[in-house]
Amino acid sequence: MSAPTFELTRASGRDSAALELRGHCHLEGAADLWRQLQAGLGAKRALDLSGLESLDGASAALLQALVAEAESRGGALELVGARAEVHRMLALYSCDSPGECAPARQREPGLFDEIGRATRDIVASLRDVLSFMGDLCVALMRAGRERGSVNLRAVPNLMERAGADGVPIVLLINFLIGLIIGLQAAYQLQRFGANVFVANLVGLSMVRELAPLMTAIVVAGRSGAAYAAELGSMRVNQEIDALRTLGMDPYRFLVFPRLLATVAVVPLLTIAAMVVGILGGLIVAVQDLGITTTAYFNQLHGAVGMLDVMGGLLKSVVFAVTITLISCQRGLATRGGAAGVGSATTSAVVVILFSLVVIDALFTVTFNLFGI
Amino acid sequence: MTLSAICIRDLSVGYGGLAILDGLNFEIRRGSIFAILGGSGCGKTTLLENLIGIQEPLAGEIDITGFGTPDLDRGFPPYGVSFQGGALFGSMTLLENVSLPLVRWTTLAESAIEAVASARLRLVGLAGFENHLPNEVSGGMQKRAGIARALAMEPSLLFLDEPSAGLDPSTAVELDDLLCCLRDDLGVTTVLVTHELASIFSIADDCIMLDKQARGIIARGSPTSLRDESQDPTAHAFFNRLPKTPPQPGVSENCL
Ligand SMILES: Nc1ncnc2c1ncn2[C@@H]1O[C@H](COP(=O)(O)OP(=O)(O)OP(=O)(O)O)[C@@H](O)[C@H]1O
Ligand SMILES: [Mg+2]
């Protein structure tokens, strides 16, 4: 039992330049209709619809597309003899210009398009970063003049989210890092009978490099991504615009509280990270290398000075500023809908990780130059 | 002469250097309700965003009486804005949303702020929803909360982007009454984007009609004069509620 369908034939009688469409055109037969019309129409200039009993929207759209196609090739295709219902359907789907029925397909971008677009995007994002910095400085100066204009009430909550909630993961990761360095070092040191130097190795690498860097990476993944996503979705929902129409500056209301909270908690997390990293080394020292706890800490005391700890903490402050500024900048520069928020978050995390490593390298080189 | 609230000269607005509307010249009288009309996508929201200073005009001048060029970096603007999508702060309750500008810009005590903010919510029919988050109320309610927030600071100038879209007719009428009340009792100037013919006729003093093809104003004047005298076919059709193209002759009206 199949639905009544259409029939396409060469028009009978005098007009050999016409095809005749009869019967019922419905969505089920639309694929066939399209195929047959495209194959059969050729240079035909008219389509006789007098035998067509019904026509649905999809088929009407197809017929109109054929008319437009013929027109755009410089020819013409006339739909003749349609009865009232069919005509009404065709009128509903008619187009004023051929372009409307067959919208220009977007060209696949070529290699040069891609290169050009990428270059333009990089330049644009550099400009965005610069103007973000400028706006931030202006906002900072204004905030200094107008007391109470920074939204300090949000800070404790943000500190909890960036700091307290992140403690377990920071501790776990840094403990394991301390343990791993200890284990890697143990075998080498044993060969030279230099077992006790495991304290120097773990202590210095944790305090100067790894604790600040690993903590910053965790914070970038947790809070940096969260800031970018939060501000990004506020941007796409026009909440940022709404905030500005209430006379409130997004920098003072959203960016500064995050900056304060992050700068306050990251050094604290880093101190905790240093301690657990050193404890991880201690376990290896006691278990595998037969060093007493006292000997480990004595050795550590001689190896790691206050300057090392300060250097590590200075790094962590710079990392915290980097994380917040990049994530907020990316968030506020979000364009487009949900996908825009996704790419803002991704690019925030990627740029942050890259910047962290570069900054860390710069610090190490500078410290070396000054012999610290 | 009546005083103007906003004066627009040779304004051109758009995105990325491409103008969507070009060469706009009009004036909005103080204490009037001014409607911006036009088909979907013709640039009404874009124009509004330029008027409130979210976007920079491509060319031309906007002068808000007593404030100058709209600039949101100069502290609290003397106008309230409600956005087409509501744009409430998702992490705050409705009451906190409305209180926000009061907390920042007034020295009112917390209890006073709460009283004012909840009164604003009551005004738009949201009594009892003070402590709901935006995603816990319907779209029309979010929009009304956005209007309450726009009213929070008692602005003398209001910008409303499709305030009655998504509202049932009786709530829409209440909103119209509210706007008339603000105009008549407080002299508030309202600039609104709307498609509701009924509300245009009942409250708007002046309107302009924008068009995508013409990239500008195709008709202006009071709603009744536009209905009765407009030469432009699009404007005529809009005000007389006709379909864009006249129906085919000999076709009955009751199908499709
Ligand atoms: N961010 C953007 N970038 C580029 N073009 C845009 C952007 N936003 C809107 N447009 C374009 O500007 C035109 C006008 O958009 P606008 O939002 O002002 O329309 P509108 O008149 O408010 O429509 P509606 O009644 O549907 O709200 C549209 O053609 C749209 O494609
Ligand atoms: Mg709009």
Side-chain angles (χ1 to χ4, degrees), chain A residues 26-212:
Chain A
H26 293 301
L27 192 55
E28 303 89 72
D32 272 338
L33 175 70
W34 183 246
R35 212 170 22 248
Q36 290 187 25
L37 277 173
Q38 286 212 312
L41 219 45
K44 300 278 188 302
R45 287 198 307 276
L47 186 60
D48 185 351
L49 302 178
S50 51
L52 192 61
E53 288 168 49
S54 69
L55 177 76
D56 72 352
S59 314
L62 292 181
L63 291 183
Q64 293 290 14
L66 287 173
V67 172
E69 197 183 298
E71 254 172 58
S72 68
R73 279 198 314 254
L77 174 67
E78 250 186 303
L79 304 174
V80 293
R83 61 179 70 186
E85 313 87 274
V86 170
H87 188 271
R88 205 154 57 227
M89 209 53 173
L90 285 170
L92 193 66
Y93 282 90
S94 70
C95 26
D96 299 333
S97 64
E100 219 180 300
C101 268
R105 181 112 16 98
Q106 202 156 22
R107 199 164 51 90
E108 283 287 308
L111 179 64
F112 289 110
D113 285 321
E114 299 275 14
I115 294 174
R117 199 161 305 167
T119 314
R120 196 188 59 195
D121 287 351
I122 290 172
V123 172
S125 78
L126 280 179
R127 202 180 45 215
D128 281 354
V129 170
L130 279 182
S131 80
F132 176 82
M133 290 297 182
D135 288 347
L136 196 69
C137 291
V138 172
L140 200 61
M141 284 185 326
R142 288 213 180 121
R145 254 184 285 136
E146 274 179 69
R147 305 240 144 251
S149 64
V150 174
N151 179 22
L152 290 176
R153 292 196 302 174
V155 174
N157 190 13
L158 287 166
M159 280 174 71
E160 184 184 340
R161 271 165 45 198
D165 294 353
V167 167
I169 180 79
V170 166
L171 293 189
L172 180 68
I173 287 184
N174 283 284
F175 177 77
L176 290 178
I177 296 269
L179 201 78
I180 291 165
I181 299 177
L183 281 174
Q184 292 295 340
Y187 176 68
Q188 306 293 335
L189 292 175
Q190 261 172 338
R191 292 205 307 184
F192 300 103
N195 291 9
V196 75
F197 283 100
V198 74
N200 298 41
L201 203 82
V202 173
L204 280 178
S205 36
M206 282 315 295
V207 168
R208 294 181 67 142
E209 292 289 341
L210 290 169

Side-chain angles (χ1 to χ4, degrees), chain A residues 87-89 91-92 142 146 148-149 153 234 237-249 252-253, chain B residues 49 52-54 72-73 75-77 79 81 83 87-90 100-101 103-105 149 248 251 255-256:
Chain A
H87 188 271
R88 205 154 57 227
M89 209 53 173
L92 193 66
R142 288 213 180 121
E146 274 179 69
S149 64
R153 292 196 302 174
M234 288 186 78
N237 288 336
Q238 281 203 306
E239 288 179 37
I240 303 277
D241 290 342
L243 201 59
R244 294 183 59 211
T245 63
L246 299 176
M248 301 165 91
D249 179 29
R252 278 179 268 173
F253 195 77
Chain B
E49 287 182 351
I52 62 183
I54 284 172
L72 295 172
D73 296 330
F76 193 79
Y79 42 84
V81 181
F83 290 83
L88 297 176
F89 306 115
L100 192 66
V103 172
R104 170 69 180 89
W105 294 107
R149 188 178 64 190
Q248 301 290 320
V251 167
C255 56
L256 291 183

Side-chain angles (χ1 to χ4, degrees), chain B residues 44-46 84 161-162 193:
Chain B
K44 303 180 295 295
T45 300
T46 310
Q84 192 167 3
D161 197 350
E162 302 202 11
V193 172

Side-chain angles (χ1 to χ4, degrees), chain B residues 15 20 38-47 84 161-162 195 212:
Chain B
Y15 297 93
I20 286 170
S40 181
C42 71
K44 303 180 295 295
T45 300
T46 310
L47 174 60
Q84 192 167 3
D161 197 350
E162 302 202 11
H195 299 296
K212 202 177 168 84

Side-chain angles (χ1 to χ4, degrees), chain A residues 275-344:
Chain A
V275 172
V276 292
I278 288 168
L279 292 182
L282 174 67
I283 291 191
V284 177
V286 173
Q287 287 290 315
D288 292 12
L289 297 172
I291 302 167
T292 63
T293 310
T294 326
Y296 182 83
F297 278 115
N298 275 339
Q299 184 69 19
L300 189 72
H301 186 67
V304 180
M306 207 54 205
L307 216 53
D308 297 310
V309 177
M310 283 312 187
L313 289 182
L314 176 64
K315 265 189 196 177
S316 75
V317 171
V318 175
F319 288 162
V321 173
T322 310
I323 292 169
T324 322
L325 293 192
I326 294 175
S327 57
C328 290
Q329 189 271 327
R330 290 288 134 148
L332 288 176
T334 303
R335 298 266 177 287
V341 177
S343 55

